[in-house]
Every structure is written in C-alpha cells, then in structure tokens.
C-alpha cells in the first residue's frame, strides 16, 4: 500500500496524461462495440468542442496545481483536516476516507451548488447542452467552470486534510469514473444497478443528463453514489426514456458550435419549461 501511495505522491505528468488519453480511447472504442444509443452523428465533429474544453481544463488545472500542492503540504504540516483528526487507522482506510470525502467536496457539493445558483448554472449549462452524451462529454466544461471546480477541490483538500498522494489518487479516480459514467455504453441493467449501489454507474448518471427537471437536478455524484442516496438527490429513470440536452436551450446546432458555447454562460437565465 505504501508503494502505491508513494507512486501517486510523485506521479509523473506523462502518466496522468496517459490516464486521460487512455480512458477516452478505451471508452471511445467500447462505445462503438456496445452503444447505448445508436447516434447518427460524425463522432469526430461532435467531439471537437468537447475535446477543446478538455484541453482548457487541463491547462487551468496545470497552471493552478501549485495551489493544491501548497494546500496539501500545509494541512499535513499542521495536522489539519477531517481525516487527520480521526483516531489512528490503517493506511488503506486513511486513503479511502481521503478520496471519499474529497469526492463530496470536489464533485458532489460543487455540482449541487452549480445547479442551485443561477449564475453558476449558466456556466455549468455548457456541460448539459450536449445532445449526444458520450465519453468526450465528461470534460465538456466551460473554462470558468474549470476554475470553479478547482476552487471546490482546493476547499476539499483544506477541510479533509488530504496529502498530495491522496489528492492525485482522487483526481485520477475522478477522471476515469467521469469518462466511464458518461460513456455511451450499454451495460446489462442488473450489473449497472449493482454498481450504482457503490459507484456512479452509466445509467445512474445518464438520468442527470435528461433534458427536464426534476431529473436534471439529481444524481450529482461522480465517484461514489452514496452522497446522492444520503442527501435525497438520487433518482431513477428508464434509460430508454432519457432525452439529452436542456429544455431551455434546445437548439442542437448552436449547442454544437464552440463559439456559441463559449458565450453561453453570458446569456440570460431561462426558466425551465415544466415549472
């Protein structure tokens, strides 16, 4: 376990890049073999804005990474944070709890707030206006949202007290899981359901991408499904009934245009059609 943690403490940037590229490639190929929906689209054309936003997210996280390192070093030096205040425990449990609570602050809480605060929703909207959700949708975040998500992660490191090895492990798990649960793959329903009791499965997350409330405001989790279940934001919807997109921004052509997507957060808030 110590060797495993030591690896993530000094994980090379090239390895992190391989996780990103390898994940996209793997799920991209899997989508071709067992698609959930047989989209009639040019996959490369569809992926262009999504991969552009993936790139901006990488750049922003790279430029701000020193803040994560400084924060992780500070909480360790000062023995600060939730997991450092708990009784002595095995290393594996310490690491698990670190990832578990970082998932709450960095993913669930950030996501929940983005849906409830109107200006933040307009920024997050870019992620939801993809009409053909696949693995490239995972990192379709406006650059402003990438900064917001980073701030929540930084807050999580501070409150949880996570060392840099746990932070890197969390980010790696988060990256792979978000590619997995956005992927346009058709898993056996029973298997998907079983997985959803522990992690956020594809069917579970696809409900979140339905174009109408209350489903859009549900299933906020990224790694663990526990948070949605305990806070009452878990919902189910048969996957055959899911319609991707957002009811208030229905134009797929506009929502596929990079220039329009960059401007999308600055348009006026539109009230959901079914309220």
């Amino acid at each position: 376990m110590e060797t495993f943690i030591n690896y993530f403490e000094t994980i090379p940037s090239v390895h992190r890049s391989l996780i990103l590229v390898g994940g996209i490639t793997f799920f991209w190929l899997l989508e071709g073999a067992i698609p959930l929906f047989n989209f009639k689209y040019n996959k490369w054309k569809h992926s262009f804005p999504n991969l552009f936003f993936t790139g901006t997210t990488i750049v922003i996280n790279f430029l701000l990474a020193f803040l994560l390192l400084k924060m992780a070093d500070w909480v360790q030096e000062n023995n600060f944070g939730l997991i450092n205040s708990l009784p002595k425990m095995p290393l594996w449990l310490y690491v698990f709890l670190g990832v578990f609570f970082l998932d709450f602050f960095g993913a669930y809480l950030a996501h929940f707030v983005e849906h409830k605060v109107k200006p933040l929703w307009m920024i997050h909207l870019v992620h939801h206006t993809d009409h053909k959700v696949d693995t490239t949708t995972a990192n379709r975040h406006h650059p402003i949202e990438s900064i917001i998500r980073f701030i929540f992660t930084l807050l999580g490191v501070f409150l949880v007290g996570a060392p840099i090895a746990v932070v890197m492990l969390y980010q790696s798990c988060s990256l792979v899981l978000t590619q997995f649960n956005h992927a346009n793959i058709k898993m056996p329903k029973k298997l998907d359901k079983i997985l959803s009791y522990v992690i956020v499965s594809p069917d579970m997350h696809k409900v979140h991408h339905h174009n109408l409330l209350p489903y859009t405001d549900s299933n906020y989790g990224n790694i663990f499904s526990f948070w949605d279940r305990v806070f009452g934001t878990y919902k189910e919807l048969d996957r055959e009934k899911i319609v991707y997109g957002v009811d208030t921004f229905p134009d797929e052509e506009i929502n596929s245009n990079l220039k329009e997507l960059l401007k999308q957060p600055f348009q006026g808030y539109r009230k959901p059609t079914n309220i």
Side-chain angles (χ1 to χ4, degrees):
M1 188 64 183
E2 289 185 7
T3 302
F4 180 73
I5 294 305
N6 288 338
Y7 167 74
F8 278 98
E9 190 170 22
T10 57
I11 183 171
S13 295
V14 67
H15 289 193
R16 298 181 68 189
S17 299
L18 285 173
I19 293 173
L20 171 66
V21 175
I24 291 176
T25 302
F26 175 75
F27 291 117
W28 180 297
L29 295 174
L30 200 60
E31 288 173 338
I34 50 169
L36 175 60
F37 297 113
N38 290 302
F39 295 135
K40 306 300 180 184
Y41 72 146
N42 182 319
K43 196 165 184 175
W44 283 104
K45 183 178 179 181
H46 166 262
S47 70
F48 171 70
N50 297 352
L51 294 178
F52 173 85
F53 287 124
T54 299
T56 58
T57 298
I58 291 171
V59 170
I60 288 168
N61 280 301
F62 178 78
L63 292 175
L64 299 177
F66 74 97
L67 294 175
L68 277 184
L69 181 60
K70 292 289 186 181
M71 183 65 76
D73 287 345
W74 186 88
V75 294
Q76 285 300 288
E77 291 170 3
N78 293 275
N79 200 36
F80 184 86
L82 178 60
I83 59 174
N84 295 319
S85 64
L86 297 173
K88 189 173 179 60
M89 65 188 79
L91 179 60
W92 68 266
L93 182 57
Y94 178 83
V95 171
F96 171 79
L97 289 177
V99 173
F100 185 68
F101 288 115
L102 282 176
D103 183 50
F104 171 74
F105 290 105
Y108 180 87
L109 182 62
H111 203 171
F112 178 85
V113 171
E114 285 176 333
H115 275 252
K116 300 304 179 183
V117 179
K118 290 178 182 178
L120 297 186
W121 164 247
M122 292 305 299
I123 296 168
H124 180 56
L125 183 69
V126 171
H127 180 69
H128 277 268
T129 51
D130 196 339
H131 295 256
K132 294 179 173 63
V133 173
D134 63 17
T135 193
T136 67
T137 311
N139 294 298
R140 176 181 159 128
H141 298 296
H142 194 279
I144 299 175
E145 180 175 5
S146 297
I147 296 172
I148 293 168
R149 290 292 185 113
F150 183 89
I151 292 171
F152 272 93
T153 300
L154 194 65
L155 174 67
V157 174
F158 175 71
L159 295 176
V160 176
I164 195 63
V166 173
V167 176
M168 292 296 105
L169 175 59
Y170 159 69
Q171 290 192 324
S172 298
C173 291
S174 180
L175 180 59
V176 173
L177 261 293
T178 194
Q179 291 174 343
F180 168 62
N181 56 45
H182 283 88
N184 181 40
I185 54 177
K186 188 175 184 178
M187 294 175 56
K189 287 187 177 182
K190 287 186 177 179
L191 175 58
D192 193 286
K193 181 67 173 178
I194 291 170
L195 288 176
S196 74
Y197 286 112
V198 181
I199 63 172
V200 178
S201 65
D203 280 4
M204 176 181 169
H205 189 71
K206 297 301 193 310
V207 174
H208 179 76
H209 279 272
H210 187 56
N211 68 338
L212 294 172
L213 293 174
Y215 299 103
T216 312
D217 285 355
S218 69
N219 300 2
Y220 298 108
N222 185 37
I223 299 178
F224 299 105
S225 61
F226 172 82
W227 304 115
D228 281 296
R229 294 179 183 278
V230 75
F231 289 113
T233 53
Y234 175 79
K235 288 191 182 300
E236 294 183 4
L237 178 65
D238 191 278
R239 60 193 183 191
E240 281 81 17
K241 296 180 180 179
I242 294 173
V243 178
Y244 294 136
V246 179
D247 58 339
T248 53
F249 287 80
D251 193 319
E252 184 171 358
E253 185 175 349
I254 291 176
N255 296 333
S256 302
N257 184 288
L258 178 59
K259 184 178 179 181
E260 295 297 328
L261 290 172
L262 287 169
K263 296 189 299 182
Q264 205 164 61
F266 309 104
Q267 300 181 40
Y269 173 80
R270 301 177 188 177
K271 189 176 181 179
T273 59
N274 61 337
I275 293 182

